[in-house]
Amino acid sequence: MGDHTIQRVEINGGVVTGVDGSASSKRALVAAAEEARRRGSVLHVVRAWSLRTAPRPADCPPNVVPSVDQFEETVRADTERIVAAKLGEHADLPVEYHIVHSPPPQALLSASKGADLLVVGHRGRGGFAGLMLGSVAEQCVRHAACPVLVVRPNV
């Protein structure tokens, strides 16, 4: 792949969260939906992916390397499925998806430039380790261009 440019996420207002399928990102998704509802704004769901992290397209034969477009479609479908499963009573909330081939911190930080709020989960470990944010959450807290809400695990 000759194109190594990092895709940016450009939005204009609303609440942003990143979804990657982890438990902490699902908690952040629910909190972000609640915030978007409270503010009467759009929920922007960012899914940053790479060839290493993307789910493999189901209809692609084992010996064939899927195209970037096929990967992107699979990642989008996976993300929409996660969101539909978690939103529950917020199912009628306006949601915009941003599926970007980018490292997660860069995707979320670029989205933060136009957002009203960025919601991130963090993978607490309990005890003193529970004070440590995941590297993505930490980078967002330090560098985001908008307020950041960090959703802690239910301890």
Side-chain angles (χ1 to χ4, degrees):
M1 283 180 24
D3 181 19
H4 288 299
T5 56
I6 289 176
Q7 291 180 299
R8 307 230 167 267
V9 179
E10 294 189 11
I11 64 168
N12 188 7
V15 176
V16 174
T17 193
V19 167
D20 62 8
S22 68
S24 61
S25 80
K26 290 174 183 173
R27 282 191 299 269
L29 170 63
V30 172
E34 290 166 356
E35 283 292 332
R37 163 81 72 222
R38 199 171 293 139
R39 295 159 182 257
S41 66
V42 175
L43 173 63
H44 293 275
V45 173
V46 175
R47 175 81 178 260
W49 67 277
S50 68
L51 295 176
R52 199 172 49 78
T53 62
R56 185 176 172 81
D59 55 358
C60 193
N63 56 344
V64 175
V65 176
S67 70
V68 169
D69 288 345
Q70 284 176 299
F71 268 123
E72 190 157 314
E73 281 305 303
T74 302
V75 171
R76 175 177 293 275
D78 185 60
T79 307
E80 290 175 356
R81 187 179 49 72
I82 291 168
V83 170
K86 288 309 286 184
L87 282 198
E89 77 241 46
H90 302 295
D92 59 335
L93 202 61
V95 178
E96 288 185 21
Y97 292 90
H98 307 273
I99 311 299
V100 285
H101 188 234
S102 159
Q106 284 86 331
L108 292 171
L109 290 172
S110 68
S112 77
K113 292 186 172 72
D116 299 320
L117 179 72
L118 172 60
V119 182
V120 293
H122 100 82
R123 301 167 165 87
R125 297 279 182 270
F128 286 114
L131 298 173
M132 295 172 53
L133 298 173
S135 62
V136 173
E138 187 170 4
Q139 288 185 58
C140 289
V141 167
R142 288 174 191 248
H143 303 295
C146 68
V148 179
L149 171 64
V150 178
V151 180
R152 293 180 55 85
N154 303 328
V155 202

